[in-house]
Amino acid sequence: KFDYVIGAKVKGIENTVKLSDAPLIIIEGDEYLSSAIDPPPKFLRYQHHIGLITGIAWDHANVFPSEDEYVKQFDLFAD
């Protein structure tokens, strides 16, 4: 049994969030800002035990003006 939070609709999965009393939750991390008044990326707010980065491609140029600044967020997550 596990719960999950997915950032986008996935074919074959009706709900993007499943929360119960399961001992494990899988969260699709998001490097975008937590909110307009809380700028650190969402994935820096998770108190995770395991983190998996499957790829990095500069995105959100409106928030991260350079690729170096973008990649830095993933370095922070890895730390």
Side-chain angles (χ1 to χ4, degrees):
K1 291 176 67 174
F2 68 93
D3 293 337
Y4 56 84
V5 178
I6 303 170
K9 285 284 196 185
V10 175
K11 186 176 180 179
I13 299 178
E14 185 177 332
N15 297 311
T16 58
V17 176
K18 178 182 174 244
L19 299 174
S20 70
D21 63 347
L24 178 69
I25 185 167
I26 298 172
I27 301 172
E28 178 186 13
D30 188 346
E31 74 279 10
Y32 203 72
L33 306 180
S34 296
S35 76
I37 60 172
D38 186 22
K42 292 174 195 150
F43 64 23
L44 296 181
R45 299 293 186 208
Y46 305 148
Q47 296 178 14
H48 61 280
H49 297 279
I50 298 171
L52 173 66
I53 299 172
T54 57
I56 299 174
W58 184 24
D59 195 7
H60 311 302
N62 61 321
V63 176
F64 305 106
S66 71
E67 186 173 10
D68 286 342
E69 187 61 29
Y70 183 73
V71 171
K72 179 182 175 185
Q73 308 313 307
F74 290 87
D75 288 338
L76 292 169
F77 176 77
D79 286 344

